[in-house]
């Protein structure tokens, strides 16, 4: 009987312990999952590229000594004899300007190679510079690396010097061999340019882009390939540095061909229905040779100007509210944190009206002339038409507010505005809008009244 009682008592104790354990355990919070992405999505290397924002492009070669943008290919290697080439100065200038990637023309249309390629004699090895022992690409890479700057290279498909050009198989083999030289010899290359430019009287030539691109990705898996048709970065369609008023990172590559005519408007704006993520890169006309001190100073001033405008975000001292909230992790406060990519405000999917509002706390008005909006592009580009109001009055023209993407900056055309509450309302979108960052900034250098009085002729 004692054994039975003992067994019975221990059973009661055991059950009581479980009972107490159940009620004393903390309640577990279940996180709300993020919304599904909207395809297409950027790759890891494309995301890194978008976050750079500013890139330096260096054009150096025979053009520097002939004062021409496009060489003929008939230039003698003897004309390439720089006396003040200083790649360290290039890199130091870029570093002072806050630039994280520099791109060098390893070979432009004239076919002259800035490295001693073993596949041609039309290179620095036949020039008097350093008695034919020099290598501009190596000096460029060494200087950039020493300053913590990533490198990119430009290798022109159009070659006005090499006799193999216009003979498809021999020239494509030659070009591919030079690609291998550059991508195997000079370390980690972050971007490579395939310029589609070609003169109207140039011989017919079929480029084996698919083979070239496959080889590039095999040798450098984290590289971004630039061309009129991507696959990673596309030309914006002009060399004036202007993207379209509406500019989507998405586009249909099947509608593009490198060097094709009539595609620049499509390149400039992208396509909200595009099946490929190929963001545009804006380039401007070249400046050649050693960077003049005046240019270096302007670049440094440019960085200081950007820092002065965007270091202070007036929205960070405001209360933030939104039309709805998906879950605890996706609140509107995410738009003023330091992560401009992976933390974001997400509204509920079963709500039709989506908006986010920044409101001044207290009686002091917000005073700004730049509005910054960023999408969480890691989950796709979603937002088309949207409206921006200050105290109920629209402050951005409807024709401008057509897309956002990684970062959209609106400089208020009337100048500085003052008010208590800024609201962004989302009208057209491919999926619920996801806003990773929202900023209100004051640009002290923007004076539309003064600028409008400056003669334009």
């Amino acid at each position: 009987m004692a054994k039975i009682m003992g067994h019975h008592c221990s059973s009661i104790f055991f059950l009581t312990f479980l009972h107490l354990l159940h009620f004393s355990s903390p309640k577990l919070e279940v996180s709300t999952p993020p919304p599904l992405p909207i395809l297409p999505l950027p790759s890891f290397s494309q995301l890194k590229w978008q976050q750079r924002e500013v890139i330096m492009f260096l054009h150096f070669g025979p053009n520097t000594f002939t004062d021409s943008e496009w060489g003929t290919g008939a230039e003698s290697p003897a004309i390439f004899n720089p006396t003040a080439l200083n790649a360290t100065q290039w890199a130091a200038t870029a570093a002072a300007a806050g630039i994280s990637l520099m791109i060098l023309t390893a070979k432009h249309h004239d076919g002259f190679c800035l490295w001693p390629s073993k596949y041609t004699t039309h290179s620095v090895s036949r020039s008097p510079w350093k008695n034919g022992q020099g290598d501009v690409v190596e000096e460029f890479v060494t200087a950039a690396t020493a300053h913590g700057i990533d490198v990119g290279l430009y290798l022109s498909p159009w070659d006005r010097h090499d006799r193999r050009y216009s003979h498809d198989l021999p020239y494509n083999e030659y070009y591919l061999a030079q690609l291998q030289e550059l991508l195997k010899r000079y370390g980690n290359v972050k971007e490579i340019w395939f310029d589609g430019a070609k003169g109207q009287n140039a011989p017919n030539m079929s480029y084996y882009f698919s083979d070239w691109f496959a080889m590039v990705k095999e040798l450098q898996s984290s590289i971004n390939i630039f061309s009129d048709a991507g696959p990673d970065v596309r030309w914006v369609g002009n060399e004036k540095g202007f993207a379209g008023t509406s500019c989507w990172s998405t586009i249909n590559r099947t509608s593009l061909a490198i060097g094709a005519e009539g595609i620049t408007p499509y390149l400039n704006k992208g396509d909200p229905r595009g099946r490929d993520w190929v963001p545009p890169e804006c380039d401007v006309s070249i400046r050649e040779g050693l960077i003049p001190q005046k240019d270096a100073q302007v670049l440094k001033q440019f960085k200081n100007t950007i820092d002065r405008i965007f270091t202070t975000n007036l929205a960070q001292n405001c209360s933030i509210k939104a039309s709805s909230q998906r879950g605890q992790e996706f609140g509107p406060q995410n738009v003023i944190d330091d992560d401009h990519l992976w933390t974001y405000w997400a509204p509920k999917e079963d709500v039709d009206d989506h908006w986010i509002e920044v409101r001044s706390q207290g009686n002091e008005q917000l005073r700004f002339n730049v509005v910054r909006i960023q999408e969480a592009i890691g989950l796709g580009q979603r937002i088309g038409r949207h409206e921006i109001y200050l105290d109920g009055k629209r402050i951005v023209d409807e024709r401008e507010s057509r897309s956002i993407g990684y970062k959209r900056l609106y400089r208020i055309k009337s100048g500085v505005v003052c008010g208590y509450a800024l609201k962004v309302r989302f009208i057209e979108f491919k999926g619920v809008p996801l806003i990773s960052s929202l900023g209100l900034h004051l640009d002290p250098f923007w004076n539309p009244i003064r600028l409008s009085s400056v003669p334009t002729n």
Side-chain angles (χ1 to χ4, degrees):
M1 186 67 177
K3 288 187 177 179
I4 296 175
M5 288 297 292
H7 179 74
H8 179 68
C9 290
S10 64
S11 298
I12 294 174
F13 176 77
F14 180 66
L15 291 173
T16 303
F17 176 76
L18 288 180
H19 180 75
L20 292 172
L21 181 64
H22 173 74
F23 281 97
S24 63
S25 61
K27 185 178 180 180
L28 296 177
E29 293 290 341
V30 178
S31 297
T32 304
L36 290 175
I38 298 294
L39 301 179
L41 299 179
S43 66
F44 177 81
S45 57
Q46 286 175 317
L47 281 177
K48 291 296 183 183
W49 176 89
Q50 300 235 215
Q51 291 175 298
R52 293 183 189 278
E53 300 190 1
V54 181
I55 293 170
M56 178 180 282
F57 191 99
L58 296 163
H59 187 126
F60 190 69
N63 312 52
T64 307
F65 305 94
T66 61
D67 195 27
S68 60
E69 184 174 352
W70 284 8
T72 65
E75 297 88 354
S76 168
I79 69 169
F80 186 82
N81 190 21
T83 57
L85 192 158
N86 189 344
T88 297
Q89 188 249 2
W90 299 348
T93 301
I99 291 169
S100 64
L101 173 66
M102 301 167 66
I103 301 174
L104 175 69
T105 51
K107 183 184 80 168
H108 204 244
H109 307 325
D110 51 53
F112 184 80
C113 298
L114 293 186
W115 79 101
S117 173
K118 63 183 179 181
Y119 299 103
T120 182
T121 58
H122 198 54
S123 76
V124 289
S125 63
R126 291 296 181 94
S127 76
W129 178 60
K130 294 191 173 181
N131 296 318
Q133 301 301 308
D135 186 336
V136 180
V137 176
E138 182 177 50
E139 293 192 13
F140 163 74
V141 171
T142 300
T145 303
H147 284 79
I149 299 173
D150 292 327
V151 300
L153 296 173
Y154 170 116
L155 188 66
S156 172
W158 183 30
D159 191 318
R160 306 186 74 179
H161 173 83
D162 199 272
R163 294 182 179 180
R164 286 164 285 201
Y165 193 85
S166 79
H167 302 284
D168 288 358
L169 182 59
Y171 182 75
N172 275 277
E173 290 177 341
Y174 166 64
Y175 189 93
L176 194 60
Q178 291 194 319
L179 269 179
Q180 292 180 59
E181 278 188 317
L182 291 172
L183 297 180
K184 291 169 67 176
R185 185 182 298 178
Y186 297 104
N188 196 4
V189 178
K190 292 298 185 180
E191 184 171 345
I192 188 161
W193 269 48
F194 294 90
D195 188 348
K198 186 168 68 172
Q200 294 182 348
N201 298 324
N204 290 328
M205 180 76 219
S206 295
Y207 302 134
Y208 297 172
F209 283 116
S210 296
D211 295 341
W212 298 355
F213 293 171
M215 179 59 69
V216 167
K217 292 292 188 178
E218 179 182 348
L219 295 175
Q220 300 264 2
S221 60
S222 63
I223 201 170
N224 282 313
I225 298 175
F226 169 98
S227 79
D228 293 354
D232 301 308
V233 181
R234 75 179 193 262
W235 182 42
V236 77
N238 62 70
E239 292 189 339
K240 298 179 180 180
F242 290 106
T245 300
S246 177
C247 190
W248 289 83
S249 294
T250 52
I251 204 165
N252 287 321
R253 291 191 60 220
T254 54
S255 301
L256 302 172
I258 301 174
E261 297 182 358
I263 63 173
T264 53
Y266 190 54
L267 290 170
N268 193 242
K269 295 182 178 181
D271 191 340
R273 298 181 179 86
R275 294 181 295 273
D276 305 294
W277 187 279
V278 191
E281 185 163 75
C282 298
D283 60 322
V284 295
S285 57
I286 59 176
R287 296 291 300 272
E288 299 166 348
L290 190 67
I291 300 175
Q293 186 57 40
K294 181 179 179 181
D295 285 7
Q297 185 62 32
V298 168
L299 280 171
K300 189 173 182 180
Q301 291 173 350
F302 171 73
K303 179 185 183 300
N304 293 338
T305 299
I306 296 299
D307 290 344
R308 183 171 178 182
I309 296 171
F310 294 104
T311 295
T312 300
N313 179 7
L314 300 174
Q316 289 184 323
N317 298 321
C318 296
S319 61
I320 315 291
K321 68 177 183 178
S323 51
S324 65
Q325 181 175 325
R326 181 180 179 89
Q328 183 177 357
E329 301 92 335
F330 305 106
Q333 291 297 320
N334 287 342
V335 304
I336 55 172
D337 67 12
D338 294 330
D339 188 333
H340 297 174
L341 192 61
W342 291 114
T343 64
Y344 48 88
W345 162 67
K348 292 181 178 179
E349 295 183 346
D350 57 356
V351 176
D352 294 329
D353 186 23
H354 299 307
W355 53 263
I356 190 166
E357 182 182 83
V358 175
R359 181 174 290 273
S360 174
Q361 301 191 67
N363 297 323
E364 188 174 353
Q365 288 186 321
L366 298 169
R367 184 173 179 270
F368 62 93
N369 55 7
V370 175
V371 178
R372 174 178 54 83
I373 311 176
Q374 297 187 236
E375 285 190 66
I377 60 169
L379 293 173
Q381 186 174 354
R382 300 158 175 260
I383 301 168
R385 192 159 63 93
H386 53 286
E387 299 170 348
I388 304 177
Y389 297 90
L390 180 63
D391 294 344
K393 181 181 178 180
R394 195 161 182 172
I395 59 172
V396 174
D397 191 279
E398 180 182 3
R399 292 169 295 182
E400 294 182 8
S401 50
R402 295 289 182 178
S403 65
I404 295 178
Y406 167 70
K407 180 183 288 188
R408 187 65 182 258
L409 301 176
Y410 291 107
R411 188 161 56 184
I412 309 303
K413 290 184 177 180
S414 60
V416 175
V417 292
C418 299
Y420 294 98
L422 179 128
K423 177 180 284 189
V424 183
R425 188 179 296 276
F426 305 97
I427 310 300
E428 294 177 357
F429 35 85
K430 296 195 291 182
V432 290
L434 306 179
I435 302 301
S436 62
S437 188
L438 181 62
L440 303 180
H441 307 279
L442 182 63
D443 179 355
F445 310 100
W446 168 241
N447 188 333
I449 298 176
R450 184 182 70 235
L451 292 175
S452 64
S453 66
V454 176
T456 57
N457 56 355

